[in-house]
Amino acid sequence: MAQPHVIAAPSDAALIAAWQSGDEQAAAELVGRHARALARYLSGAGAPDAEVDDLVQETFIRAFRSVDRFRGQCQFRTWLLTIGGNVLKDYGRRAARRKVVPLDESVRDVAGDPHEQTVASEAEARLAAGLKVLPRLQREVFLLRAQQGLEYQEIAVALATTAGAARVHYHHAVRRLKEMLK
Amino acid sequence: MIDDAKLEALAKRLGTTAAERLDVEKTTREVLAGLREAPPRRRTWIEVHALRIAAALVLLLGGSFVVTRLIPRGGTEIGSHPAHLVADDLSDLTADELRAVLDQFDEMVDSTGVVSDSSDLRELDAQELRAVLRSLEG
């Protein structure tokens, strides 16, 4: 009896190669795979809710345009998240120039949005506020580790640091966040 | 105080609302449209090196220009006036030009009002010489 033929989903690397050779559908598949994780990461890193969609799009466009620089040193998603961090930083600069409340000084207005009021717990809101005052590297390491579940080695490669340094940043972040949440 | 496990659980929940709200289909369409507007342009090895060489040339030429503008040309700049004087050295003058210079000198001496029987400078006393020099100073 013939076994059912299962078609394995192409790997990220295969999709990247396909995109590089002009396959638009491969890019669409990569967006579908990673868009929500990226949105979660950007939101956790302090992106205003109203801007998350645009920042996700900008991150993907920037990533696809510079995909030649991705050599598989880490997972595609990890690389994408670090680009997202840069996009968010640039957004913060633009916002500051426009005299919008700077990213790191703003605290999400949870009470003002009935939907978020029901969804976000007080602790989550305080964690989000705490993350915004952390140094960028600590915040990114914390999110990549705690929110995205990455290993220190993977984080280190993505952020161009060492696994030991990433571990130290994570512990500093945890210590400060615990102090803010107690 | 909150423990590590609870902190991680909270971190995992962060941004879930934003992720759920994201319209992935729309995001995909927008991303592809953005990529179509300006598709990635891959630079070849030759282009990269040509750009580097061009940048180096620009720096070299720009640096040379700045140096030539800032640093005076020592020999000619400083020596231009003396060179002019040398060109006008008495030995370079023709006989007629020398005569004209001597006539002018005689006029200057006469105009000083120095009373002397001789126009030979070697025969003037100290006071008369000072008067000649003062007239030459203008």
Side-chain angles (χ1 to χ4, degrees):
Chain A
M1 188 173 165
Q3 294 291 320
H5 186 66
V6 178
I7 301 170
S11 66
D12 283 356
L15 290 172
I16 291 164
W19 155 249
Q20 284 176 307
S21 56
D23 182 357
E24 212 174 58
Q25 193 52 43
E29 175 69 22
L30 285 166
V31 175
R33 278 186 193 180
H34 302 293
R36 289 199 195 280
L38 176 60
R40 212 155 63 86
Y41 178 76
L42 291 171
S43 180
D49 284 352
E51 302 292 336
V52 169
D53 287 22
D54 286 347
L55 293 171
V56 167
Q57 288 169 25
E58 192 179 336
T59 302
F60 272 112
I61 290 170
R62 201 182 285 190
F64 284 129
R65 281 182 180 158
S66 58
V67 79
D68 288 350
R69 276 182 259 153
F70 176 67
R71 308 210 184 281
Q73 62 275 40
C74 58
Q75 295 172 46
F76 176 70
R77 179 176 289 185
T78 312
W79 184 68
L80 189 69
L81 297 180
T82 58
I83 292 174
N86 291 331
V87 168
L88 185 59
K89 185 183 73 178
D90 293 346
Y91 165 79
R93 283 183 185 152
R94 289 198 302 269
R97 278 200 294 271
R98 291 196 306 262
K99 306 289 183 194
V100 174
V101 178
L103 199 65
D104 285 341
E105 291 172 22
S106 65
V107 176
R108 195 175 301 178
D109 184 12
V110 178
D113 184 335
H115 178 72
E116 284 200 356
Q117 195 174 17
T118 55
V119 172
S121 68
E122 187 193 348
E124 272 184 68
R126 284 165 63 197
L127 176 60
L131 279 168
K132 286 173 186 172
V133 297
L134 286 185
R136 185 185 167 199
L137 200 52
Q138 282 184 23
R139 179 170 59 237
E140 292 192 352
V141 169
F142 176 81
L143 286 171
L144 290 173
R145 174 80 182 157
Q147 187 198 46
Q148 303 287 328
L150 298 178
E151 298 295 330
Y152 287 119
Q153 186 56 45
E154 175 83 358
I155 296 168
V157 172
L159 298 178
T161 183
T162 63
R167 189 186 294 271
V168 170
H169 286 304
Y170 180 76
H171 285 295
H172 280 309
V174 166
R175 184 172 48 79
R176 291 186 64 181
L177 289 170
K178 280 180 175 178
E179 283 170 7
M180 289 180 224
L181 288 169
K182 69 182 176 186
Chain B
M1 184 181 277
I2 190 169
D3 60 26
D4 286 14
K6 191 171 180 193
L7 187 64
E8 283 192 22
L10 276 176
K12 281 188 170 47
R13 285 214 301 271
L14 270 185
T16 47
T17 311
E20 283 163 10
R21 271 194 218 152
L22 185 76
D23 184 343
V24 178
E25 296 288 322
K26 180 174 171 257
T27 301
T28 305
R29 285 196 304 273
E30 296 285 344
V31 169
L32 293 180
L35 291 171
R36 281 185 208 119
E37 278 175 18
R41 185 173 171 278
R42 297 191 189 94
R43 289 200 175 108
T44 62
W45 184 89
I46 292 172
E47 279 180 308
V48 170
H49 285 267
L51 277 172
R52 286 181 182 165
I53 291 166
L57 279 173
V58 167
L59 284 175
L60 189 68
L61 292 173
S64 306
F65 177 75
V66 169
V67 167
T68 51
R69 298 285 293 185
L70 290 180
I71 300 173
R73 282 171 289 175
T76 51
E77 189 71 24
I78 294 166
S80 59
H81 193 61
H84 170 74
L85 292 179
V86 169
D88 290 345
D89 196 299
L90 290 175
S91 59
D92 293 336
L93 299 179
T94 63
D96 288 339
E97 287 168 339
L98 273 171
R99 272 186 216 105
V101 169
L102 287 172
D103 289 344
Q104 279 183 339
F105 185 74
D106 286 342
E107 282 173 22
M108 282 193 293
V109 171
D110 291 343
S111 67
T112 59
V114 175
V115 181
S116 174
D117 297 332
S118 171
S119 59
D120 190 340
L121 290 171
R122 281 171 298 187
E123 294 174 12
L124 297 178
D125 61 22
Q127 192 178 356
E128 289 166 337
L129 272 172
R130 274 191 212 101
V132 170
L133 287 170
R134 272 192 213 102
S135 70
L136 290 173
E137 286 171 357

